Amino acid sequence: LKRVWCLFEAWTATATEGCRLEFVLPDHQAKDYRHSLRDSDLDDVWRALTSIRVQDAQASMPEDRERILELVKSSPSGYAGLNSVLTKRLQRWFVEVAKAYLELGLKPGIEGTTGKSSLCVAIVGFFIELGSLEEAERLCEEGTRMCRAAAEANGADHADTPVFRKHEGLLLQHLGRVRHE
């Protein structure tokens, strides 16, 4: 996120029809990432993904940096366009990988629910921010089921239940299905 060439190439890929941009981590970093999903404050990671600023990016060759920045600046969307496109793309990647990790843990036979509902809460919120409301709704329903099952097993509401209810209310508003009782 700090190298101008990397940002420029990623931006170019997003604007090129038929080109698919993927972010791939080495095995050890992928493992660290999965652990961070379970152990970290995901809101901090989410906010960090919004800090892309091509105008602050570096290059080993100053003239490369100048040329790339001039190309970006003179484009119809300018710096803000590149920063916005790549922020959204990285956030989408982040939430899709987190969702895949969560869904792996939700498969029958995978023991324990520790952290799963909290991860689900975070992912639902991120999908809402991205405007992926159907995906958010599906995960919100799954999270609510997890909380109900935990409440039945423990005889008390699960700690994440109020957050799922809040997300559910936001979703219903966005989807135009607010219930009036």
Side-chain angles (χ1 to χ4, degrees):
L1 300 179
K2 303 290 182 196
R3 306 297 299 166
V4 74
W5 267 111
C6 295
L7 295 174
F8 181 71
E9 289 170 351
W11 179 59
T12 302
T14 63
T16 303
E17 191 172 329
C19 185
R20 186 171 161 194
L21 176 63
E22 292 189 33
F23 301 100
V24 179
L25 299 174
D27 288 341
H28 70 282
Q29 287 181 349
K31 184 178 178 182
D32 290 347
Y33 174 67
R34 287 189 301 274
H35 286 292
S36 75
L37 291 173
R38 191 182 59 227
D39 303 332
S40 298
D41 182 358
L42 296 182
D43 289 331
D44 290 343
V45 177
W46 188 256
R47 278 190 296 280
L49 294 175
T50 65
S51 67
I52 295 174
R53 286 182 42 90
V54 69
Q55 56 272 44
D56 297 335
Q58 300 301 310
S60 55
M61 305 288 290
E63 58 274 7
D64 284 353
R65 180 178 185 277
E66 291 170 21
R67 286 187 193 121
I68 290 170
L69 290 179
E70 186 53 42
L71 279 170
V72 173
K73 185 178 179 182
S74 65
S75 73
S77 58
Y79 295 149
L82 180 147
N83 296 339
S84 176
V85 164
L86 291 184
T87 292
K88 292 294 183 215
R89 183 63 186 93
L90 276 168
Q91 287 176 325
R92 168 71 51 197
W93 169 80
F94 170 80
V95 77
E96 290 293 338
V97 171
K99 181 185 90 166
Y101 176 73
L102 173 68
E103 288 175 343
L104 176 66
L106 295 177
K107 288 186 177 178
I110 305 292
E111 294 301 318
T113 59
T114 306
K116 289 178 189 173
S117 63
S118 296
L119 177 57
C120 193
V121 164
I123 295 170
V124 167
F126 299 148
F127 272 128
I128 291 170
E129 279 191 50
L130 289 172
S132 298
L133 303 180
E134 293 80 18
E135 197 64 39
E137 184 175 34
R138 189 185 70 70
L139 279 176
C140 193
E141 290 168 1
E142 182 65 39
T144 300
R145 277 192 293 277
M146 277 192 288
C147 288
R148 271 195 217 113
E152 288 173 12
N154 300 325
D157 274 350
H158 189 278
D160 290 323
T161 300
V163 185
F164 279 115
R165 287 185 181 144
K166 175 185 165 196
H167 284 328
E168 184 179 31
L170 285 171
L171 279 167
L172 291 172
Q173 281 182 316
H174 285 296
L175 295 168
R177 292 189 265 151
V178 176
R179 292 184 289 222
H180 299 284
E181 297 178 9

